[in-house]
């Protein structure tokens, strides 16, 4: 069984709603396409060190790493 995770960036980002707080140091959860997903800030697009995302805020899903969605603020 291969447990390596691969990075996949999406061609078209889509909106999601934050369910649990997310910071650069803290992975959280978002509601995306009808279900809840683990999520973390994608540092390849923004300076994530100063970013904090509160519940009910909207984000853009730009990709995934394994089962964790990669997000950036809208």
């Amino acid at each position: 069984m291969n447990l390596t995770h691969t990075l996949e960036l999406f061609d078209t980002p889509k909106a999601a709603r934050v369910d649990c707080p997310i910071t650069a140091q803290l992975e959280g959860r978002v509601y995306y396409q009808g279900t809840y997903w683990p999520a973390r800030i994608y540092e390849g697009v923004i300076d994530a060190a100063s970013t904090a995302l509160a519940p009910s805020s909207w984000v853009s899903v730009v990709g995934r790493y394994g089962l964790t969605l990669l997000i950036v603020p809208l």
Side-chain angles (χ1 to χ4, degrees):
M1 176 174 11
N2 184 358
L3 297 177
T4 60
H5 294 283
T6 57
L7 172 67
E8 176 187 358
L9 296 178
F10 301 154
D11 292 331
T12 307
K14 294 186 180 174
R17 184 179 39 83
V18 175
D19 183 57
C20 296
I22 303 171
T23 67
Q25 298 80 25
L26 179 67
E27 189 175 286
R29 187 171 67 179
V30 297
Y31 187 75
Y32 175 70
Q33 293 189 343
T35 192
Y36 292 93
W37 292 82
R40 68 179 177 159
I41 296 172
Y42 179 53
E43 298 174 10
V45 176
I46 61 166
D47 176 22
S50 62
T51 304
L53 302 169
S56 298
S57 60
W58 288 91
V59 294
S60 184
V61 178
V62 296
R64 68 178 182 88
Y65 182 73
L67 292 176
T68 302
L69 297 180
L70 303 172
I71 61 169
V72 296
L74 278 179

